[in-house]
Amino acid sequence: MNIGIFSGTFDPIHIGHIILASYIIEYTDMDEVWFLVSPQNPFKIDIEMLDKQERLEMVKLALSAYPQLKASSFEFDLPQPSFTVNTLDALQKKYPEHHFTLVIGADNWNSFEDWKNPEEILNKYSLMVYPRLGSRITIPSKVRNKVEALESPIIEISSTFIREGIQEGHNMRAFLPVEVYNYITEKGLYKQ
């Protein structure tokens, strides 16, 4: 199967994430999109996050109505912080029958050379780059056979915006899957 790997902290997952993954299922040759909940993003070492199990639970709740979108705790058992190249290699080793494509935003693509072993990622795996406001997608000709620029809708909702909105007492229901909104409300998350 062709599997899109959408990795993130998902703190919390929101409708923008689901819209993007649904676009990938409907408009590309991906059979599934796996949401890999990152226990620790190497670029967010000093940022406080909700517990990984709570973030995973919200992803599971959000994706329950979408059979081709899967919540994954795969990175939980890998050394921290989790570097994408290591995660992709571990996935390929565990699931040799699948073809993995990394899904990243244009902002991450523009800083991709700062990642750990970016050349190795490009040599071994395909990438899909989705548009972000304020970030151009420029793909050098030498990697166009490995990197695809998506024409997906630009949904500029961020988890930071949602967390800050909840802290400020705003109703963020419209930006979250209803199951996630209910979970956050019941547990009183992001209020401190």
Side-chain angles (χ1 to χ4, degrees), residues 99-176:
H99 173 71
F100 293 104
T101 297
L102 180 63
V103 177
I104 63 173
D107 52 336
N108 281 316
W109 173 246
N110 291 334
S111 64
F112 189 69
E113 62 190 28
D114 298 330
W115 290 27
K116 181 179 179 186
N117 301 347
E119 303 86 9
E120 185 180 339
I121 295 172
L122 285 171
N123 286 336
K124 293 181 180 177
Y125 305 99
S126 302
L127 273 75
M128 287 183 176
V129 182
Y130 60 90
R132 299 289 304 260
L133 276 183
S135 296
R136 289 181 48 115
I137 301 175
T138 304
I139 301 172
S141 56
K142 65 181 180 181
V143 295
R144 285 197 185 130
N145 62 329
K146 300 288 278 186
V147 182
E148 177 183 356
L150 297 175
E151 294 183 16
S152 57
I154 298 176
I155 310 293
E156 282 303 309
I157 302 169
S158 73
S159 297
T160 302
F161 166 74
I162 291 168
R163 290 192 308 271
E164 289 172 353
I166 292 170
Q167 286 172 358
E168 294 166 5
H170 299 292
N171 183 336
M172 304 306 283
R173 180 183 203 107
F175 305 100
L176 297 159

Side-chain angles (χ1 to χ4, degrees), residues 54-126:
E54 283 193 301
R55 291 183 283 120
L56 176 65
E57 183 59 28
M58 287 190 284
V59 173
K60 287 179 180 177
L61 289 168
L63 304 182
S64 61
Y66 303 91
Q68 292 173 283
L69 308 183
K70 311 285 186 188
S72 174
S73 62
F74 187 81
E75 286 191 317
F76 288 13
D77 298 323
L78 298 179
Q80 302 306 309
S82 40
F83 291 99
T84 301
V85 64
N86 300 341
T87 299
L88 290 169
D89 287 347
L91 280 165
Q92 196 63 75
K93 185 175 181 182
K94 183 166 183 180
Y95 303 103
E97 70 278 16
H98 294 324
H99 173 71
F100 293 104
T101 297
L102 180 63
V103 177
I104 63 173
D107 52 336
N108 281 316
W109 173 246
N110 291 334
S111 64
F112 189 69
E113 62 190 28
D114 298 330
W115 290 27
K116 181 179 179 186
N117 301 347
E119 303 86 9
E120 185 180 339
I121 295 172
L122 285 171
N123 286 336
K124 293 181 180 177
Y125 305 99
S126 302

Side-chain angles (χ1 to χ4, degrees), residues 30-66:
M30 293 298 109
D31 299 303
E32 293 180 351
V33 174
W34 293 1
F35 284 63
L36 265 63
V37 178
S38 297
Q40 181 61 67
N41 181 320
F43 293 109
K44 297 181 179 178
I45 300 270
D46 298 327
I47 295 175
E48 193 174 313
M49 290 180 287
L50 228 92
D51 177 74
K52 63 186 179 186
Q53 293 294 345
E54 283 193 301
R55 291 183 283 120
L56 176 65
E57 183 59 28
M58 287 190 284
V59 173
K60 287 179 180 177
L61 289 168
L63 304 182
S64 61
Y66 303 91

